[in-house]
Amino acid sequence: MDVVSPELNSLLPERSWTRRQLSISISGTPSPLLTLKPALATSTATTRTTDSVTGTSITTSGLQKLTAPFTISAANHQIILNKVAQATEAAKAAGAAPQVLKQDGQKLLVTTIGKPGQPIVLQLPHAGAKPGGAKPGGAQAPGEPKSPTPQFKVVTIGGRAEQKPAVSGAANQLPTLQAQQLKTVQIAKKNPTFSAAPIKLIIAKTVNSKGLSPQTSVPSVITGRVLTQTSPVVPPRTITLSEPHSTSLQSLPGKKIAISPLKSPSKVTVVSVASPTSNASQKSVTLPVNVALGQQILTVQQSASGSPVKVQTSQTSAQAVKPGQSVAVGSVGGSQFKAIIPLAAQPNVQQIQVPGSRFHYVRLVTASTASSTGGTGGTGGAAGTSGASTSSKPMVVSAGPVRMSVPIVPAQTVKQVAPKPLGSAPQVVSAAQTQQRLIMPATPLPQIQPNFANLPPGTVLAPAPGTGNVGYAVVPAQYVTQLQQSPFVTLASSSGFPAAPGIQTQARLPVNGEPAHVPDVWLLRYCDCFANGEFCNNCNCNNCFNNLEHETERMKAIKTCLDRNPEAFKPKIGKGKEGESDRRHSKGCNCKRSGCLKNYCECYEAKIMCSSICKCVGCKNFEESPERKTLMHLADAAEVRVQQQTAAKTKLSSQISDLLMRTAPVVSSGGGRLPYTFVTKEVLEATCECLLEQAKRAEQAQLPAPEAERLVLEEFGHCLMRIISSAAKAKADCSSMSC
DNA sequence: GAGTTTGAAACT
DNA sequence: CAGTTTCAAACTC
């Protein structure tokens, strides 16, 4: 479950360590404290760094006792918890809340992901330790005692006693774990800004509601996870990982945030944020932990802006992700994460990819988002989203129906949302600008209520209450381009959804006000782009409605499809049942003639074998099928041949190119280097001079014209002969020199 | 490239 | 649930 190591404090503004509290709450959950699922040993420890405390039981404030032996030593600034796993296992068995060690308001969240019986060492900050560059240009809350920000060398989680640097090399590899999902996300480096306000770290996540525990239960549709630092004085401030300028996230050293998944208490998700101040800030930081089966680890790493981001999961191979791109892990409907990475190139457009959903979403952030100052935390189902010094608002996922939204403008004001170039502050095009047009009254579109679980195109992420005119639209990635090109403008309206306060709707119409033709939904059903939740782009489709110009109609079609089949936009290929590691078709194929050995078969096309849920006839796409084996062999052989041919072609091409380069004489002809080209500009000029000279001689001799022409032609022939002779000689010389 | 085959999706 | 329709991709020639 959600676990936060003390290093999380390094994410926070420079504040007194002893007054600092870290907590994790799920977006939408009222409790500001860490809602740790006790599936694995997790505990929250509040310690006093001035004293050395040893014992076996600490009464927590409202939480459980930590019965495991522990040692808190101020001398070495460590907290050693022994066999916490066992203790927390008991808590788990009892279904109890996470354990907390609490003294003087200082709280450490400890997880025992590792083996039972091995101690957990938490490196506490040294008294008087300096922030260590953790607060570049940060602001501190007025009146707040200025205290050094602790530097955490290491927080070892998972039964490892040795301390490791916060940023380590690739040597720290997770051990091979079965049924474990390792997810590594790098977060683009962000400009550090600071605020003393408490910080919430939100990792949006689509949640399978079935796996939600009471503590993490959120409104049924969507949820998020929030790491919260609470303060009795300053209202909580929320920062999402997606914030392009999220403050302390990148400015504090050594951050490892362990977050447990919402879905299942048996899973543990670890978010590790590398230190940007470290020289190895871009290196992979992997928390060396032993994780039990079924655990899920999400490692969030920080990297310099502009550097590629790698996403590593246990299911998919590493792939390069550009800064600003969203990184998606997991799959829709499961315990997946939606890690939102700031879009470096377009600060006000953040792409969000929902794992497995094949959708590419972007978050549109307006200037008001960036400039808005401070706000109280979220209310009700929606987590707090206001950020005092952040340039963009955290994505807030809320319960209930979610509706597409763009930055909402009060009254009749129209805002055009368009990606801005890198470096430019997010802006909202005001109504006075030329491209703005008032399209339609701000009325809700109740018919557009996509289910966030499915995250169809146009899903809305609502702004937090009290955050002003800020909305978030989750739209397909193509939306970004189309927003730039489209003559349409968006008009948002207030939401009428009681279950989703702040969720707003939008409606779009052509600029000329003409009502868009309602497309035949049927036409969209067979469009792969539409089925994939994408806008058509460079397709050959005629009268295409799957574009931004027909967004309203498209949204209706989406809703129609979802009404008909709530899983219409979910990927067909997913993981099998519990224990089935292989992928399989969610519905199974229905082939009759192809024997499931042609690409007509969706199973075969996905390179998976048919399963028991398939209704195919004469299926030959199973493990022992000789036809399938033969086909596989043939395919492999064909692939080998293609590779060999490609290699041969490449080699031949290279040889020819090399030969031409070596045999080409160094003869300049108009700047070009032409092989065996001797008719250069100089040769031509010389030849012409010879011909002219011959003509002058004929003229001086007063020869008749035909005779003069004959002399000129003869001279031309002599010139050609000399050119040819020179070329042959040069070639012979080149051959003799083996050049 | 045109025509045919095939299966998914939607409809009845 | 079965049959039909429609469609687009896969496939064949």
Side-chain angles (χ1 to χ4, degrees):
Chain A
M1 188 46 196
D2 296 349
V3 181
V4 172
S5 71
E7 291 166 320
L8 177 60
N9 285 292
S10 60
L11 296 171
L12 304 176
E14 182 177 3
R15 300 184 61 196
S16 172
W17 165 253
T18 56
R19 292 173 59 86
R20 182 176 301 146
Q21 281 191 343
L22 284 178
S23 63
I24 298 175
S25 64
I26 304 304
S27 175
T29 56
S31 173
L33 294 177
L34 171 64
T35 54
L36 294 174
K37 300 305 296 179
L40 285 174
T42 56
S43 63
T44 302
T46 301
T47 63
R48 177 182 301 165
T49 57
T50 56
D51 297 328
S52 177
V53 181
T54 302
T56 57
S57 176
I58 291 180
T59 302
T60 62
S61 59
L63 296 176
Q64 284 192 334
K65 278 185 179 180
L66 177 64
T67 56
F70 68 92
T71 299
I72 301 175
S73 173
N76 54 8
H77 306 280
Q78 289 182 347
I79 300 175
I80 300 176
L81 304 177
N82 292 323
K83 297 183 178 181
V84 180
Q86 295 176 358
T88 51
E89 284 294 335
K92 172 188 175 182
Q99 298 173 342
V100 174
L101 295 173
K102 184 177 182 181
Q103 286 186 356
D104 292 349
Q106 188 175 80
K107 189 176 295 182
L108 295 177
L109 307 181
V110 183
T111 179
T112 59
I113 305 174
K115 299 175 182 178
Q118 295 182 348
I120 298 173
V121 178
L122 299 181
Q123 183 68 35
L124 297 180
H126 288 266
K130 290 186 177 181
K135 186 188 174 185
Q140 195 165 10
E144 189 170 79
K146 190 174 183 178
S147 61
T149 299
Q151 287 183 333
F152 298 98
K153 293 180 180 179
V154 177
V155 171
T156 303
I157 304 176
R160 290 194 178 216
E162 71 275 12
Q163 296 183 1
K164 292 185 177 298
V167 177
S168 60
N172 292 335
Q173 299 293 335
L174 282 171
T176 301
L177 302 172
Q178 293 180 350
Q180 169 185 327
Q181 296 179 356
L182 170 63
K183 300 172 181 180
T184 301
V185 178
Q186 284 187 337
I187 299 178
K189 193 174 184 177
K190 303 162 187 174
N191 297 330
T193 56
F194 265 85
S195 171
I199 296 173
K200 286 183 180 179
L201 298 176
I202 298 179
I203 300 176
K205 170 179 179 284
T206 58
V207 173
N208 183 353
S209 59
K210 293 183 293 185
L212 292 177
S213 65
Q215 289 153 310
T216 60
S217 63
V218 293
S220 59
V221 178
I222 52 177
T223 185
R225 63 188 57 192
V226 182
L227 307 181
T228 306
Q229 180 195 15
T230 60
S231 171
V233 177
V234 186
R237 193 166 62 85
T238 302
I239 295 175
T240 63
L241 295 178
S242 62
E243 287 190 36
H245 301 288
S246 75
T247 60
S248 54
L249 187 61
Q250 73 285 0
S251 59
L252 294 170
K255 301 162 280 292
K256 290 181 181 177
I257 311 166
I259 306 173
S260 64
L262 298 176
K263 175 185 177 181
S264 170
S266 65
K267 293 185 177 181
V268 171
T269 300
V270 177
V271 177
S272 174
V273 180
S275 172
T277 59
S278 169
N279 294 332
S281 60
Q282 296 186 30
K283 292 183 178 180
S284 173
V285 179
T286 306
L287 195 61
V289 295
N290 295 325
V291 188
L293 296 180
Q295 289 178 344
Q296 188 179 54
I297 295 179
L298 169 62
T299 303
V300 178
Q301 294 178 334
Q302 202 172 10
S303 62
S305 178
S307 62
V309 181
K310 283 188 175 181
V311 180
Q312 294 176 341
T313 72
S314 62
Q315 293 176 324
T316 59
S317 58
Q319 62 183 98
V321 178
K322 295 178 182 179
Q325 279 188 328
S326 62
V327 179
V329 290
S331 60
V332 169
S335 62
Q336 319 88 6
F337 284 98
K338 180 172 58 180
I340 307 167
I341 307 303
L343 193 65
Q346 294 172 328
N348 61 339
V349 177
Q350 298 179 349
Q351 298 185 12
I352 305 166
Q353 182 177 357
V354 179
S357 72
R358 299 178 299 178
F359 291 121
H360 293 273
Y361 299 94
V362 296
R363 183 178 65 163
L364 306 179
V365 183
T366 66
S368 61
T369 302
S371 60
S372 63
T373 58
T376 57
T379 60
T385 59
S386 58
S389 62
T390 58
S391 60
S392 66
K393 298 296 181 183
M395 177 180 299
V396 177
V397 291
S398 59
V402 181
R403 304 169 74 178
M404 187 170 180
S405 172
V406 295
I408 304 307
V409 293
Q412 295 290 314
T413 304
V414 176
K415 295 177 182 179
Q416 185 176 17
V417 181
K420 295 297 185 298
L422 178 62
S424 65
Q427 287 184 339
V428 174
V429 180
S430 65
Q433 295 184 351
T434 57
Q435 295 182 354
Q436 248 185 6
R437 304 182 188 185
L438 181 60
I439 298 304
M440 63 179 295
T443 55
L445 294 176
Q447 73 276 14
I448 304 176
Q449 301 178 21
N451 187 340
F452 191 87
N454 296 322
L455 276 177
T459 299
V460 170
L461 298 177
T467 56
N469 304 323
V470 178
Y472 302 95
V474 180
V475 297
Q478 296 89 329
Y479 200 173
V480 178
T481 302
Q482 298 195 26
L483 277 173
Q484 294 173 316
Q485 301 171 349
S486 173
F488 298 91
V489 295
T490 300
L491 181 64
S493 68
S494 60
S495 173
F497 287 111
I503 293 177
Q504 298 162 351
T505 60
Q506 75 167 24
R508 301 170 66 87
L509 285 176
V511 175
N512 56 14
E514 294 178 359
H517 171 66
V518 177
D520 186 0
V521 177
W522 181 271
L523 299 178
L524 293 173
R525 296 170 191 165
Y526 302 100
C527 176
D528 270 1
C529 299
F530 179 77
N532 292 336
E534 301 169 351
F535 285 109
C536 285
N537 186 20
N538 297 326
C539 299
N540 294 324
C541 42
N542 297 324
N543 300 324
C544 180
F545 282 84
N546 188 31
N547 50 40
L548 191 62
E549 286 75 10
H550 303 90
E551 181 182 331
T552 303
E553 296 80 8
R554 184 174 178 273
M555 292 301 296
K556 290 179 180 177
I558 291 172
K559 182 181 181 300
T560 302
C561 289
L562 290 175
D563 288 343
R564 192 165 39 233
N565 179 17
E567 299 182 356
F569 294 97
K570 288 186 177 180
K572 294 177 180 176
I573 307 299
K575 293 202 68 174
K577 297 177 181 177
E578 196 71 21
E580 297 180 4
S581 58
D582 294 338
R583 299 178 305 145
R584 77 169 189 176
H585 200 285
S586 59
K587 294 175 60 180
C589 67
N590 193 30
C591 305
K592 294 177 176 61
R593 294 174 172 268
S594 65
C596 300
L597 288 181
K598 292 185 178 180
N599 282 336
Y600 297 126
C601 174
E602 292 192 348
C603 296
Y604 181 82
E605 188 179 22
K607 293 181 171 57
I608 58 178
M609 283 175 286
C610 293
S611 63
S612 58
I613 61 175
C614 292
K615 296 174 285 293
C616 43
V617 177
C619 180
K620 298 174 183 176
N621 185 25
F622 54 93
E623 183 68 38
E624 294 80 12
S625 170
E627 291 87 352
R628 176 182 163 276
K629 290 180 179 178
T630 302
L631 210 57
M632 292 296 104
H633 288 142
L634 291 175
D636 292 342
E639 185 176 358
V640 170
R641 281 198 302 273
V642 169
Q643 291 176 351
Q644 290 175 345
Q645 291 174 354
T646 303
K649 288 181 179 178
T650 303
K651 184 179 180 181
L652 180 61
S653 175
S654 175
Q655 289 176 343
I656 292 175
S657 176
D658 184 61
L659 180 63
L660 291 176
M661 290 298 294
R662 288 189 300 156
T663 56
V666 186
V667 175
S668 175
S669 176
R673 200 179 193 191
L674 305 176
Y676 299 105
T677 299
F678 294 90
V679 188
T680 63
K681 181 180 179 181
E682 292 78 10
V683 172
L684 287 175
E685 288 178 351
T687 303
C688 290
E689 287 180 1
C690 292
L691 298 179
L692 287 174
E693 184 64 24
Q694 197 68 8
K696 285 181 181 178
R697 289 177 184 174
E699 185 177 352
Q700 290 173 356
Q702 295 181 347
L703 296 175
E707 185 65 17
E709 292 175 358
R710 187 184 64 84
L711 290 176
V712 171
L713 289 174
E714 284 181 355
E715 180 61 24
F716 182 67
H718 292 320
C719 291
L720 285 178
M721 290 301 294
R722 286 195 291 271
I723 293 171
I724 295 171
S725 175
S726 299
K729 185 175 183 298
K731 185 177 182 180
D733 293 343
C734 184
S735 300
S736 63
M737 297 173 61
S738 300
C739 60

